[in-house]
Amino acid sequence: MSKIIIHGGFFSESSTNIETKIAKQQALLRIVKDSYAYLQNHSALETVVFAVSQLEDDELFNAGIGSQIQSDGKIRMSASLMDGESQKMSGVINIEEVKNPIQVAQVLMQVDDRILGGSGATNFARKHGFEPFSTEIPQRRAEYEAKLASLGTGTVGCVALDKNGKIAVATSTGGKGFEIPGRISDSATVAGNYANEFCGVSLTGVGEDIVSNATAAKIVTRVTDGFSIEKAFEKTFSELKPYDGFAGAIGIDKQGNIFHQDSHPSMVFASFDGENEEVFE
């Protein structure tokens, strides 16, 4: 009964021409199907790292390669990983010059100090064999130099349910662009990335809005307490409305129900269960 869903931020983060839209649809379908095949012989935890690594490696998305540049001209990325079975979460915040922040988070899962920030995160990566790697692309440098701030809604994520009924979730972001150095997004917090044995949820959108609403943790808690995944999403997203919170979320519950919702159009996503595929339109 293995299931998988991925997201790649909001479509409004990039140009809205038809070529970009088709490219994102094709990339998401390719990655979700490759990741589903990987899921057949790997755990949910291993699979979400596999999927998010592929999303980080595709410059169509704002994570890993193609990450946004902060106000001081540097790229700092964040990513986290959560195992629904063990309830362990690991992550990196404002890490610099690594190709795949989610893979650093995966290594951190094995140590006691599992969430590291800034130079501590970067130094840990170097000590564990992650070579210096610039994730800057010419488009991001041009945007930075022209001061063309994006909406800041670019993040990638994956939720997987494996054949043993285990759930895991991973989320990675290149930031919103032009932010104050040291800003912390939702992606490496329980507001943006959360799972337990009942449900897993990954978020994209404006990090401050997502943190204010504790969005991922609320959805998962409500499913744990007996809400259907649809009702848990509906209730939690209704709580964003008083301040026009900008968020999109993907989730899977332990019964294999897949759900996604966004507060503003349009989150880009794809899901696959071996037979049925869905991709954003």
Side-chain angles (χ1 to χ4, degrees):
M1 192 184 68
S2 49
K3 304 279 185 78
I4 189 165
I5 184 168
I6 61 176
H7 70 71
F10 277 80
F11 189 60
S12 53
E13 75 173 280
S14 188
S15 61
T16 53
N17 61 54
I18 191 64
E19 291 83 4
T20 301
K21 180 177 182 179
I22 291 170
K24 287 196 172 189
Q25 289 171 328
Q26 291 175 339
L28 287 167
L29 280 173
R30 171 181 52 80
I31 292 169
V32 81
K33 288 182 176 180
D34 284 352
S35 301
Y36 179 83
Y38 185 89
L39 179 59
Q40 302 318 296
N41 298 301
H42 295 84
S43 70
L45 191 68
E46 292 167 326
T47 302
V48 295
V49 174
F50 177 83
V52 168
S53 294
Q54 289 197 61
L55 289 159
E56 288 176 337
D57 289 345
D58 193 322
E59 65 181 52
L60 282 168
F61 307 106
N62 175 25
I65 295 169
S67 290
Q68 296 278 359
I69 300 172
Q70 296 191 348
S71 60
D72 63 350
K74 294 184 178 181
I75 290 172
R76 297 177 180 88
M77 301 163 287
S78 297
S80 68
L81 175 66
M82 189 158 184
D83 180 1
E85 181 182 22
S86 68
Q87 288 281 274
K88 283 186 177 180
M89 183 176 181
S90 60
V92 291
I93 298 170
N94 290 326
I95 195 168
E96 296 182 45
E97 293 196 313
V98 296
K99 185 170 184 245
N100 294 106
I102 196 64
Q103 293 178 17
V104 185
Q106 184 180 30
V107 176
L108 278 165
M109 190 67 80
Q110 310 306 319
V111 302
D112 290 336
D113 300 333
R114 291 196 296 272
I115 298 180
L116 297 180
S119 60
T122 304
N123 292 340
F124 178 88
R126 298 288 177 262
K127 289 177 182 176
H128 287 80
F130 292 86
E131 297 295 327
F133 184 94
S134 173
T135 56
E136 183 181 308
I137 59 173
Q139 175 191 341
R140 297 301 191 208
R141 177 54 60 178
E143 288 170 351
Y144 174 78
E145 290 176 351
K147 301 292 185 185
L148 295 175
S150 79
L151 284 176
T153 50
T155 301
V156 302
C158 177
V159 186
L161 171 71
D162 65 28
K163 59 189 175 184
N164 296 314
K166 310 300 184 187
I167 297 170
V169 57
T171 308
S172 181
T173 187
K176 67 179 184 179
F178 307 100
E179 62 264 60
I180 297 170
R183 178 225 180 215
I184 294 173
S185 76
D186 66 290
S187 297
T189 76
V190 297
N193 188 81
Y194 197 72
N196 65 11
E197 63 181 296
F198 298 98
C199 185
V201 174
S202 172
L203 268 290
T204 181
V206 175
E208 287 74 7
D209 293 351
I210 292 165
V211 168
S212 293
N213 191 42
T215 309
K218 274 187 181 176
I219 293 171
V220 172
T221 299
R222 285 172 167 149
V223 172
T224 303
D225 289 346
F227 278 62
S228 68
I229 192 169
E230 295 89 345
K231 291 294 185 183
F233 267 74
E234 180 184 336
K235 174 69 171 171
T236 306
F237 270 76
S238 74
E239 292 164 348
L240 288 164
K241 289 180 180 177
Y243 54 93
D244 194 30
F246 197 122
I250 58 173
I252 302 177
D253 69 17
K254 69 175 182 179
Q255 282 82 33
N257 297 305
I258 295 176
F259 200 75
H260 57 85
Q261 186 170 340
D262 47 30
S263 63
H264 297 66
S266 300
M267 179 178 62
V268 305
F269 72 92
S271 63
F272 191 57
D273 64 5
E275 295 180 6
N276 304 299
E277 64 183 50
E278 184 183 6
V279 68
F280 80 99
E281 295 180 352

